[in-house]
Amino acid sequence: MLGPEWLDATFIIKAFVGWIGPWAILGVMLVIFAETGLLIGFFLPGDSLLFTLGMFVAIGETNPAEGVPVPIWVAAPLVWLAAVAGNQTGYLIGRKAGPAIFNKPDSRLFKRHGGKAVTLAQFVPIVRTFTPVIAGVGKMNYRHFITFNILGATFWAFGITWLGYFLGTITWIQDNIDAMILVIVFISV
C-alpha cells in the first residue's frame, strides 16, 4: 500500500464489517459518496474500494461472524446510488456556492464536451471529485449533467465492483490485491 493504512480499501471494509457488521455496506456507500461529491473526499480510494468490495462479496469477507452475507446484486446498486448521489451533491455545491466561471460563449470545457467530461471523469481519481462541482459552477444544463452522471456512475460503480467480484475469486488476485489495485488505478488514470 502506498498511503496510510486507513486509506487502504481492505482496511476500510474490514473496519466497517467489524464496527457495524451487516451494515458495513452503508459505510462503503458513505466513503463513495464523500469521494464523488464532497470536495474533502478527493483523497479517498474509490476505485480500489469498489474492486475490493466486489472481491470481498465474492469470497464472503463482508459477512460478520453471525451476520448475513451481502449479495453482489445488493452491493453494486447501493454503491452506484452513492456515486450518483455524491455527484449530484457536488453539482449542487458548485451551482449554489460558485460563481459562473464559464461565461464566455465559446467556452469548450462544459459547453461542448461537458457530457463526455462528466462520464469519463468518473474513472479518474481526484478528477471525479471536482468535475461535478465544476459542472455546477459552470451552470451545465442539469438534465444534461444527470444523464451523463448516471451513465458514468453506472459504468464505474457496477463495472469495477463486478470486476472485483469475478476476479476476486482467483487466489493470485487475493494474494496480490495491492498490485491489482495499482493496476486499476493506473488504468483509470
Side-chain angles (χ1 to χ4, degrees):
M1 185 66 200
L2 297 175
E5 181 183 42
W6 58 271
L7 283 178
D8 178 40
T10 302
F11 176 82
I12 292 170
I13 294 173
K14 286 185 176 184
F16 282 139
V17 169
W19 293 336
I20 52 181
W23 298 101
I25 189 70
L26 297 178
V28 173
M29 289 174 66
L30 181 63
V31 172
I32 295 298
F33 175 82
E35 199 246 356
T36 58
L38 304 178
L39 293 172
I40 60 168
F42 71 91
F43 61 90
L44 294 170
D47 297 332
S48 58
L49 192 64
L50 293 177
F51 185 86
T52 305
L53 174 67
M55 182 182 80
F56 278 15
V57 167
I59 62 175
E61 286 285 326
T62 56
N63 312 340
E66 69 283 339
V68 178
V70 176
I72 191 68
W73 54 267
V74 170
L78 288 175
V79 292
W80 170 83
L81 184 64
V84 170
N87 288 333
Q88 294 301 306
T89 301
Y91 178 87
L92 293 174
I93 288 170
R95 185 90 178 189
K96 298 293 181 193
I101 60 172
F102 301 109
N103 55 8
K104 295 189 302 186
D106 63 342
S107 174
R108 296 176 62 185
L109 183 60
F110 282 103
K111 295 196 189 302
R112 294 184 188 171
H113 303 290
K116 288 182 253 180
V118 169
T119 300
L120 295 175
Q122 195 71 52
F123 291 91
V124 183
I126 300 173
V127 174
R128 94 175 117 250
T129 303
F130 295 103
T131 300
V133 176
I134 293 169
V137 169
K139 301 208 184 298
M140 181 181 191
N141 177 286
Y142 182 72
R143 180 176 271 161
H144 193 71
F145 174 80
I146 187 79
T147 300
F148 288 98
N149 168 27
I150 290 172
L151 181 66
T154 300
F155 286 126
W156 182 66
F158 281 101
I160 295 178
T161 304
W162 278 92
L163 184 66
Y165 182 76
F166 288 119
L167 295 180
T169 58
I170 300 169
T171 305
W172 185 88
I173 290 177
Q174 293 172 14
D175 294 341
N176 296 288
I177 187 67
D178 288 342
M180 281 305 302
I181 289 171
L182 287 175
V183 168
I184 289 169
V185 171
F186 177 75
I187 290 170
S188 293
V189 172

